Amino acid sequence: KNNADSLKLTEYDYILIDTHPDFGTITKNAIAISNYLLSPITPSEHGYNAKFDLETRLEKFRKSLFDYRTGETYVDAKLFFVANMIRHNTSMSHDLLKHIEGDETVATIIPERELFNKATARHASIFELANHDESISKQNQKFIEHADHLFQELANKTK
């Protein structure tokens, strides 16, 4: 944060730091300099429990990194979760959705779609993929419009 001016960070709306899903030194440093922390939760045996685990670890980290003079933590990142790979036809997805219903820390819900796999394989965003492939665009038109809304929801949470 002290180097924001020299690095011209104000020229960016968002800077994403993608870390390994652990709580090692690199991840802690990324959290310490961040305004927001976004973490996926998935409909799996451990998906929802991982949410509580991260909340607990983050709170412990906040308490361990503070200004001794004021007692205030240096870690002020707001934690949000993204429900990811949600299927409309599985009990695990339904259970996860039931558990997160009304949870203000869940920024958005992203359904599982083959389109994400195709975009990853082609090293492109889903929007770029749809713009360059008419058949993909036609097959996924409704979802692509919905995806834009999902990203806007996420942006609104982090303002």
Side-chain angles (χ1 to χ4, degrees), residues 15-91:
I15 298 172
L16 300 177
I17 305 170
D18 187 7
T19 64
H20 194 270
D22 62 14
F23 225 72
T25 303
I26 293 172
T27 302
K28 285 180 180 178
N29 279 314
I31 292 169
I33 64 166
S34 295
N35 296 320
Y36 299 96
L37 175 59
L38 300 174
S39 180
I41 50 175
T42 58
S44 66
E45 179 182 353
H46 303 289
Y48 193 65
N49 291 336
K51 178 182 183 295
F52 294 113
D53 183 49
L54 181 56
E55 289 169 330
T56 302
R57 286 178 170 201
L58 181 59
E59 191 55 35
K60 185 177 178 181
F61 183 48
R62 285 186 206 283
K63 290 178 180 176
S64 73
L65 194 63
F66 63 93
D67 184 329
Y68 286 98
R69 291 172 289 155
T70 65
E72 291 188 31
T73 183
Y74 292 115
V75 181
D76 58 2
K78 294 179 183 174
L79 176 59
F80 289 108
F81 296 93
V82 175
N84 193 24
M85 300 190 306
I86 305 299
R87 296 179 181 176
H88 71 281
N89 60 351
T90 67
S91 62

